[in-house]
Amino acid sequence: MLKAQAHELAKRFGVPIGASGAPQDLLIVGMGKLGGRELNVSSDIDLVFLYDEDGETRPTAIYPDARRSLTIQEFYERLARRLIPALNDIEGPGFVFRVDMRLRPNGDSGPIVCSSDMLETYLYTQGRDWERFAWLKGRVINTPVFSDGETFSRQVNNVMSLVKPFVFRKYLDFGAITSLTKLHEMIRAETTRREIARKGSYVNVKLGRGGIREIEFLTQTLQVIRGGRDSSLRGRETLLMLDALAKEGAISSEVANKLKESYVFLRDVEHAIQYVNDEQTQRLSRHGENLPNVAGLLGIQEEKLWERLEQVNDFVSKTFDSIFQTEKAENKGDWPLGWETGTSTAASALVEKLTSFRVSGRSR
């Protein structure tokens, strides 16, 4: 698809040639689950479109009839406007993938295609802590169209050499780790609030307490902490990185193996949930709804499924809390559940919380 669309554009506008005189290819970076080769049944794909050098299109021996020149950015913006609908739009039997472009520099307000210079400026002047985790998984997923293999590899290396020091700092940034942990705590609390609002009628196997996200967050945080000095911890796949972390002594082999088993189980449950109605969801009902079908797909009784799920959630959450020291904060000093959104049950608890600050002098 990429090659066919690029060749069609090259017939009209020529080949993108950079300042060095070398053909410049589009670099499609797969982020998240795509970058880590961990897609689920109903995943969307997070993409970032890049190119290495600025320049313009020129006629070549293969495309001699090109009559109009474009900048490389203009050329690849046109290509992006062809590629995204081809993957994302529903036609005939369906679509290929849902495409999400919001992880690109400046998100929805940024250009759909960026040069390596633009990426570098963004990462080191505006890049946020959570984007270090996003780019940890980043992987160029396409092959060359206009350049040879050696030139293409050089372009990929140029781009990824900008990303590596952004993700993996030589010296540990404790402030970043703290802010990311707080962000996760907010997500966990909001997910719990929603589950409680539904009277515990379902659990979210991805975002809930002891879910998929906590294993991934734990793994990636330890990678970010240690990866600046240890290249073996710069991988993208969760299971392989748990092994690597155990080998380097960041976690015990016993914990790593149990986390791997838990991750595989939770991902299997996630796949089964999404197979039931082909929906992009991670909610498993406690009774009825999708529970019988999910249990059937996994070949396990409903009661046994919930028993296993609760055991896994308990182990993962306790492991997470022990590493990030969140349990004490949640039990003794956390904000009342639902205070951000003003739930009715949070009002009196919030008054009590604020009063405790005044009494203890923490408001000063």
Side-chain angles (χ1 to χ4, degrees):
M1 183 184 298
L2 169 64
K3 289 184 177 181
Q5 297 289 356
H7 285 312
E8 285 299 311
L9 286 174
K11 291 176 183 178
R12 297 175 57 194
F13 304 110
V15 172
I17 304 295
S20 65
Q24 298 296 303
D25 270 304
L26 182 67
L27 307 177
I28 302 177
V29 182
M31 308 285 276
K33 290 289 194 296
L34 176 59
R37 297 181 173 89
E38 297 170 337
L39 289 176
N40 59 42
V41 173
S42 190
S43 282
D44 56 7
I45 56 174
D46 297 291
L47 301 178
V48 177
F49 291 160
L50 304 171
Y51 62 91
D52 189 23
E53 297 178 6
D54 282 311
E56 61 183 15
T57 59
R58 301 177 191 172
T60 65
I62 300 176
Y63 304 104
D65 298 325
R67 292 291 180 265
R68 179 184 170 193
S69 179
L70 299 175
T71 66
I72 292 180
Q73 183 169 2
E74 290 171 336
F75 182 90
Y76 282 127
E77 283 178 345
R78 288 177 181 244
L79 181 57
R81 288 196 289 269
R82 295 186 176 201
L83 287 177
I84 295 171
L87 292 169
N88 187 81
D89 289 1
I90 298 176
E91 293 185 10
F95 60 94
V96 182
F97 286 108
R98 303 177 187 89
V99 178
D100 191 335
M101 299 295 298
R102 290 175 296 177
L103 290 181
R104 69 186 188 269
N106 292 303
D108 286 337
S109 62
I112 202 71
V113 181
C114 296
S115 68
S116 58
D117 285 344
M118 295 168 66
L119 175 66
E120 181 179 26
T121 299
Y122 174 81
L123 291 180
Y124 294 100
T125 61
Q126 301 180 56
R128 290 157 288 184
D129 294 329
W130 64 264
E131 288 177 288
R132 295 171 64 184
F133 279 38
W135 278 99
L136 185 154
K137 295 275 191 178
R139 173 174 63 92
V140 175
I141 60 173
N142 63 303
T143 56
V145 175
F146 299 117
S147 63
D148 57 43
E150 181 180 351
T151 302
F152 183 77
S153 294
R154 185 167 58 250
Q155 293 170 6
V156 171
N157 290 336
N158 287 345
V159 168
M160 299 315 293
S161 69
L162 302 176
V163 173
K164 185 178 73 173
F166 171 70
V167 175
F168 301 107
R169 309 291 170 82
K170 185 176 180 181
Y171 301 104
L172 176 60
D173 183 355
F174 283 101
I177 303 304
T178 299
S179 66
L180 288 168
T181 303
K182 289 180 178 178
L183 175 62
H184 175 80
E185 289 174 353
M186 292 174 63
I187 294 172
R188 179 196 263 189
E190 177 62 15
T191 302
T192 302
R193 182 194 68 78
R194 292 180 181 180
E195 291 174 357
I196 291 174
R198 290 284 298 272
K199 299 180 180 179
S201 61
Y202 73 87
V203 67
N204 189 313
V205 299
K206 178 180 179 180
L207 300 179
R209 188 171 185 270
I212 293 167
R213 179 62 58 83
E214 295 199 349
I215 300 176
E216 294 173 342
F217 186 90
L218 182 155
T219 305
Q220 292 169 21
T221 300
L222 293 177
Q223 286 183 258
V224 168
I225 289 173
R226 294 170 173 256
R229 299 184 180 183
D230 189 342
S231 60
S232 70
L233 300 178
R234 298 174 189 168
R236 300 178 178 90
E237 299 176 40
T238 302
L239 296 178
L240 294 179
M241 286 300 97
L242 284 169
D243 282 335
L245 288 166
K247 183 178 180 180
E248 296 304 319
I251 54 177
S252 71
S253 295
E254 180 183 1
V255 168
N257 288 332
K258 289 195 70 173
L259 285 173
K260 287 168 60 181
E261 292 174 5
S262 300
Y263 190 69
V264 171
F265 171 76
L266 290 169
R267 292 301 303 275
D268 285 346
V269 174
E270 180 187 38
H271 294 322
I273 291 171
Q274 297 180 351
Y275 270 126
V276 171
N277 292 313
D278 191 27
E279 292 180 337
Q280 195 176 21
T281 180
Q282 290 85 22
R283 294 181 178 183
L284 178 65
S285 301
R286 287 188 178 272
H287 306 286
E289 296 186 30
N290 63 355
L291 178 59
N293 289 329
V294 170
L297 285 170
L298 295 173
I300 186 173
Q301 294 179 350
E302 295 174 28
E303 297 80 5
K304 294 293 184 182
L305 172 57
W306 267 104
E307 181 181 341
R308 172 67 172 146
L309 183 58
E310 289 174 349
Q311 290 172 350
V312 166
N313 289 157
D314 185 60
F315 168 73
V316 172
S317 63
K318 286 181 177 178
T319 302
F320 184 93
D321 292 340
S322 68
I323 291 175
F324 294 101
Q325 299 180 351
T326 59
E327 186 173 11
K328 180 179 179 181
E330 286 183 1
N331 290 342
K332 296 183 179 179
D334 205 8
W335 288 94
L337 195 63
W339 74 273
E340 305 101 324
T341 52
T343 58
S344 58
T345 57
S348 59
L350 184 58
V351 171
E352 183 179 346
K353 180 72 177 177
L354 294 173
T355 302
S356 71
F357 281 171
R358 185 176 60 186
V359 171
S360 65
R362 288 174 62 182
S363 60
R364 292 194 297 269

